Amino acid sequence: MEKKLKDLREEYLKIPIPKELNDVVQAALNEKPRKKPRVGRNILVTAAAALLIVTASVNISPAAAKAMSDIPIVEKVIKVITFVEWKEEANNSSAVIKTPAISGLENKQLEDSLNEKYLSESKQLYQEFTDSMSKLKEGEKGNISVESGYVILTDNETILSVQRFTDTISASSSTESQFDTVDKKNEVLLTLNSLFKDDRYLQVISENIKEQMKRQMAEDPEKIYWVEDDDITAFKGIDENKNFYINEDGKLVIAFNSYEAAPGYMGAVEFIIPTNVLSDLLVGDQYIH
């Protein structure tokens, strides 16, 4: 066990991340069970208060979780855990960045690629926030709020769908999300293309979304979607890279970020695609039904 933890610690420390986050990772892997989270030092010259929080436990430490999963008597469970949570308040601005990690996959190539992607996303948000703060003049207020985290949308015997979101409030507010859906049995990452026999689904889903947009606007005058044919910003249709997930009911959900298909006040919007619209196009019914 000690050797495994040592190997894992060395592996994670090889990942290039900003020094402050590297300190957090190292602290997490070195902490003893039930030890209280450490408070990090101020990472910005202009920062009034900064807090770095990491709780090292089997529930949220990927190193500990993996080490436990390698013990034969412990049943392997695929789950999403919080790797690092970073918080800061400075110059009337705040940021909360929570980095997820997937634990328990036997397909380590997939597990590592997803976790490296999540860490890279957090690094970028971290850098963008600190850059914004460093550009402020003395006494100037940033008035920026950034919150990044994740939501487990579906977790059953067949699939795991995870949403990573970032809510940003500055002069205006916006929400951006990314989604991953993993086939837990075959341990592969699902794509839109992989769900369908051919690319006919692109037009079918696009037309259904347009119908839903128009119906919602007819039923609620406060709802607005960019769907009118004479609007140069009108929604034309989805492509194979469109954000999607499969919900707990086995339905395909197409997701849009803020300003992508509607005015900002509408926020991020989603459309559940009826399965009867897709049934003839699906490869099978193990995911969508």
Side-chain angles (χ1 to χ4, degrees):
M1 174 64 74
E2 291 180 0
K3 183 179 184 302
K4 288 180 180 179
L5 290 176
K6 180 180 179 182
D7 291 343
L8 286 167
R9 178 180 180 276
E10 292 176 353
E11 180 181 348
Y12 275 106
L13 290 178
K14 290 179 182 177
I15 299 175
I17 59 177
K19 181 180 183 299
E20 290 76 14
L21 284 182
N22 189 63
D23 292 342
V24 174
V25 174
Q26 183 173 353
L29 296 176
N30 284 334
E31 279 184 345
K32 297 179 180 179
R34 299 185 181 179
K35 188 170 183 178
K36 293 183 178 180
R38 296 183 179 181
V39 178
R41 63 182 178 82
N42 194 335
I43 65 171
L44 296 176
V45 175
T46 59
L51 183 63
L52 293 171
I53 299 178
V54 172
T55 305
S57 71
V58 173
N59 288 330
I60 67 171
S61 167
K66 182 181 183 304
M68 289 296 291
S69 68
D70 287 340
I71 301 174
I73 61 173
V74 179
E75 181 181 358
K76 290 190 177 182
V77 177
I78 300 172
K79 60 181 179 179
V80 183
I81 52 185
T82 300
F83 182 30
V84 173
E85 181 177 357
W86 173 74
K87 295 181 180 181
E88 176 165 342
E89 294 184 6
N91 294 329
N92 204 41
S93 298
S94 64
V96 178
I97 301 174
K98 184 181 293 185
T99 305
I102 291 182
S103 172
L105 288 174
E106 293 183 1
N107 183 347
K108 295 307 173 187
Q109 183 177 358
L110 174 60
E111 182 177 289
D112 291 344
S113 66
L114 290 173
N115 292 341
E116 288 172 8
K117 177 175 67 173
Y118 301 157
L119 185 58
S120 177
E121 291 172 352
S122 291
K123 284 169 51 181
Q124 182 176 346
L125 282 174
Y126 166 91
Q127 194 64 55
E128 290 173 354
F129 182 77
T130 55
D131 286 349
S132 297
M133 294 297 98
S134 65
K135 293 176 182 177
L136 295 176
K137 298 177 181 179
E138 185 176 355
E140 185 179 1
K141 301 298 183 182
N143 299 318
I144 300 172
S145 174
V146 177
E147 181 179 357
S148 177
Y150 66 94
V151 179
I152 301 173
L153 299 168
T154 305
D155 186 5
N156 54 37
E157 293 182 356
T158 305
I159 63 171
L160 173 68
S161 287
V162 182
Q163 173 190 11
R164 286 111 52 227
F165 66 86
T166 301
D167 294 329
T168 304
I169 300 176
S170 183
S172 59
S173 62
S174 66
T175 299
E176 294 187 1
S177 294
Q178 297 184 65
F179 302 80
D180 287 317
T181 297
V182 175
D183 176 336
K184 294 169 68 174
K185 293 183 177 179
N186 297 307
E187 298 201 356
V188 295
L189 186 65
L190 299 180
T191 65
L192 268 178
N193 276 343
S194 68
L195 300 173
F196 297 95
K197 299 174 183 176
D198 52 53
D199 62 3
R200 288 178 296 161
Y201 75 91
L202 294 172
Q203 182 176 355
V204 171
I205 292 176
S206 297
E207 291 303 317
N208 183 264
I209 290 174
K210 291 178 184 179
E211 292 174 6
Q212 291 193 49
M213 287 177 171
K214 293 177 180 179
R215 183 169 63 251
Q216 288 184 28
M217 288 191 296
E219 294 173 351
D220 186 349
E222 294 187 0
K223 287 188 175 182
I224 296 178
Y225 292 105
W226 295 324
V227 69
E228 299 302 330
D229 294 335
D230 58 350
D231 189 343
I232 60 174
T233 62
F235 167 68
K236 305 299 183 183
I238 67 167
D239 60 29
E240 62 185 23
N241 298 314
K242 190 73 193 78
N243 270 334
F244 81 96
Y245 67 92
I246 300 171
N247 66 20
E248 289 283 3
D249 296 324
K251 307 301 180 185
L252 178 66
V253 182
I254 301 297
F256 293 82
N257 291 325
S258 297
Y259 302 98
E260 193 176 358
Y265 79 89
M266 292 280 289
V269 294
E270 298 180 349
F271 297 90
I272 299 174
I273 310 302
T275 302
N276 63 343
V277 172
L278 306 172
S279 57
D280 291 340
L281 307 174
L282 292 168
V283 172
D285 60 1
Q286 64 181 118
Y287 306 123
I288 300 173
H289 43 262

